[in-house]
Amino acid sequence: MRKIFVFLIAVFFCVPARALSVINDTETESVLRKIIMPVALAADIPENRLKIHIVNDDDFNAFVSGGEDVFIYTGLLTRIKNTNALQAVVAHELGHMIGGHMAQMSARMEAELKRTLIIQALGIGLMVAGGNPSLGAGVLAGAGGVAQQSLLSFSRDEERVADEFAVDLMVDANINPTGLITVFEQMQNITGAAEAKTNKNRSNHPLTVERIKNAREKIAQIKRNRKYDAFDDKEYELVRAKLIGYLYNERQILDKYPYRATDDAAIYARAIGNMRGGALTAARDATQNLIQRNKKNPYYYELLGDIEYQMGHYDDAVAAYEHALKLNKKAPQIQTALALVLAERGKPGDNAQAIELCKTSLLATPAPLTYWVLAKLYNDGREYWALAEFYNLNGDTKKARTFAKRAQQKLDKDSPEYIKSGDILEK
Ligand SMILES: [Zn+2]
């Protein structure tokens, strides 16, 4: 994450502009990682280098940048048919990388980024629950089709080559390549109308029909009866439900997950929708029901913590988050959520525990919200440094500098926060 932020912040100096917002969510990131990792490994991206970014934008879209940063849009995550199709999308994007299409791409992209891009990252749960209402507003405002044109304008030949590499990568990863056909068929439904209006010569993407035909031919060359690894869609369905629960309005949630649907994903989505709509008791009952069904899922306890926090039940929220963290120790967003509740509860020892949680969370993901919580916890000058980091990550250079200067006035010259404030001032 850090690398991207630094890059984009550097870029930001040229231009204040529309934001591409990125969602931080431990559950979504870890499930996507499991799904994508086999394809990434086939493309020679080692596990510790792969970075997955969830872009809060309703377009059916994804792209790879810098060879190891995979950006997937919520509009794709909420609509894509299944795990296999998602693997195919990423394989295709990695195909552009292997095909060397990224070289020209990065120049184009850089130009585009200079014009329009700022990345924000906030915890999805806390963007609703968080103590600062303005935080949520920024994220929910979304990206509004940022840079679509330039970011994704590969040539027709490049698209064909990427599709071919996608089939190879999937087969190498022992993943069924027909996921690619599933994606094309879905694209046909989604973009069919738009494509029909587009002049064929000006279109950068080969018509979907042609891509289906090419992919089918390529897949037909693979040995018949080849066996592939099977992927269970259940975890992915929960992630989809979570995103829909957080990003769609109440009616859209019920369209997708009507009351007659009683599977875990449907209950999860409706519980989140209830929480957002202020129906906290219903949200809590539904979440307790999910926990009864699966006591090992840390994210059900995370949701319970969010709900209890909104109900003003700090002790219950702390207990729920602590339980979630017992089930998943590497959960930076849950650590930040717990820190926020501890900061507000203010019992003896809460402050020190919350600071430690923020530090651990920041080591995994330098998310703005964590700095914002940290700013609430310090009272010795370091709060100004934390605010400087918060505004820095949010692309508000002016405020970042103001707070970095104030931090330096208060702090010892050899303290780490003084030096980090200096780094912000130097940018
Ligand atoms: Zn492409």
Side-chain angles (χ1 to χ4, degrees):
M1 229 33 197
R2 168 151 293 172
K3 199 185 79 193
I4 295 217
F5 279 126
V6 170
F7 168 60
L8 289 171
I9 286 153
V11 158
F12 171 73
F13 273 84
C14 320
V15 246
R18 284 182 298 171
L20 177 63
S21 62
V22 170
I23 290 171
N24 287 143
D25 180 62
T26 303
E27 178 178 21
T28 310
E29 283 162 36
S30 65
V31 170
L32 292 184
R33 176 168 285 271
K34 227 191 269 180
I35 292 171
I36 290 167
M37 205 59 238
V39 192
L41 286 173
D44 289 330
I45 302 174
E47 183 148 14
N48 58 344
R49 300 290 293 275
L50 175 74
K51 293 187 202 73
I52 298 163
H53 310 275
I54 304 139
V55 180
N56 182 17
D57 186 303
D58 206 37
D59 273 339
F60 191 83
N61 221 341
F63 65 94
V64 174
S65 150
E68 52 194 36
D69 288 285
V70 178
F71 291 79
I72 307 175
Y73 286 49
T74 52
L76 188 136
L77 292 173
T78 52
R79 291 190 191 95
I80 193 128
K81 203 147 184 185
N82 54 35
T83 303
N84 188 217
L86 179 56
Q87 289 168 323
V89 168
V90 174
H92 169 87
E93 297 306 326
L94 293 172
H96 282 303
M97 185 189 83
I98 295 168
H101 310 160
M102 306 316 280
Q104 299 163 43
M105 179 71 166
S106 50
R108 265 180 272 166
M109 207 154 124
E110 203 172 7
E112 190 61 32
L113 285 169
K114 276 183 183 157
R115 244 172 4 100
T116 59
L117 214 59
I118 308 166
I119 288 210
Q120 293 181 315
L122 297 172
I124 190 171
L126 286 163
M127 77 193 192
V128 182
N132 181 352
S134 67
L135 278 178
V139 156
L140 294 172
V146 171
Q148 258 16 290
Q149 245 28 45
S150 307
L151 284 181
L152 300 167
S153 53
F154 289 109
S155 76
R156 210 171 156 122
D157 279 345
E158 286 171 333
E159 293 301 349
R160 202 192 54 244
V161 170
D163 288 343
E164 283 176 12
F165 277 125
V167 172
D168 291 338
L169 282 176
M170 292 178 82
V171 174
D172 279 358
N174 216 30
I175 290 166
N176 195 331
T178 51
L180 201 59
I181 310 281
T182 311
V183 176
F184 292 148
E185 284 170 352
Q186 245 193 310
M187 279 169 62
Q188 239 175 349
N189 293 334
I190 292 168
T191 62
E195 225 172 35
K197 285 185 212 153
T198 313
N199 177 338
K200 200 177 171 183
N201 296 323
R202 284 187 52 199
S203 173
N204 283 315
H205 279 249
L207 290 181
T208 314
V209 185
E210 196 180 308
R211 296 177 75 180
I212 293 177
K213 183 173 156 281
N214 292 342
R216 282 227 168 94
E217 282 170 13
K218 170 103 181 158
I219 291 169
Q221 292 165 15
I222 301 164
K223 184 167 76 90
R224 262 171 199 271
N225 303 325
R226 186 168 184 330
K227 291 270 178 286
Y228 297 104
D229 292 338
F231 283 81
D232 184 2
D233 285 325
K234 198 164 184 287
E235 283 188 325
Y236 179 64
E237 286 303 332
L238 287 175
V239 160
R240 185 207 305 279
K242 183 180 212 173
L243 292 171
I244 287 175
Y246 275 110
L247 300 172
Y248 285 23
N249 68 34
E250 202 181 336
R251 219 193 56 206
Q252 292 168 316
I253 295 170
L254 289 177
D255 276 353
K256 179 82 183 128
Y257 301 103
Y259 287 111
R260 65 173 181 278
T262 54
D263 57 297
D264 295 356
I267 295 174
Y268 199 28
R270 292 196 302 259
I272 293 165
N274 281 333
M275 178 182 72
R276 286 175 55 219
L280 297 176
T281 306
R284 187 174 57 181
D285 289 349
T287 308
Q288 297 282 19
N289 182 5
L290 288 172
I291 289 172
Q292 286 312 309
R293 290 182 181 198
N294 182 0
K295 293 193 171 70
K296 295 251 167 74
N297 185 332
Y299 311 109
Y300 293 162
Y301 288 94
E302 177 188 26
L303 177 57
L304 183 63
D306 294 347
I307 295 164
E308 296 286 7
Y309 169 64
Q310 292 215 46
M311 292 176 116
H313 304 161
Y314 289 159
D315 291 350
D316 293 330
V318 167
Y321 288 138
E322 281 180 342
H323 197 89
L325 286 170
K326 246 181 230 155
L327 294 169
N328 181 0
K329 288 174 182 66
K330 285 186 196 161
Q333 278 76 51
I334 304 175
Q335 286 157 350
T336 300
L338 176 55
L340 177 65
V341 177
L342 289 170
E344 292 195 13
R345 187 174 73 169
K347 283 189 181 172
D350 280 355
N351 205 282
Q353 193 195 343
I355 289 172
E356 284 314 306
L357 283 162
C358 286
K359 285 181 177 169
T360 313
S361 173
L362 286 169
L363 281 179
T365 310
L369 184 64
T370 313
Y371 283 114
W372 185 77
V373 174
L374 204 50
K376 289 166 89 96
L377 294 162
Y378 283 135
N379 192 20
D380 56 5
R382 282 183 290 182
E383 66 273 24
Y384 298 118
W385 157 74
L387 283 172
E389 298 279 7
F390 168 75
Y391 285 114
N392 192 18
L393 287 177
N394 271 329
D396 189 337
T397 324
K398 216 174 135 190
K399 280 199 178 131
R401 294 180 65 84
T402 305
F403 282 108
K405 274 182 203 152
R406 204 174 295 171
Q408 288 205 331
Q409 285 160 11
K410 295 265 181 184
L411 295 169
D412 282 347
K413 280 197 164 54
D414 48 6
S415 69
E417 290 81 8
Y418 181 97
I419 295 162
K420 288 180 207 161
S421 300
D423 291 343
I424 291 173
L425 288 169
E426 265 176 37
K427 275 177 195 158

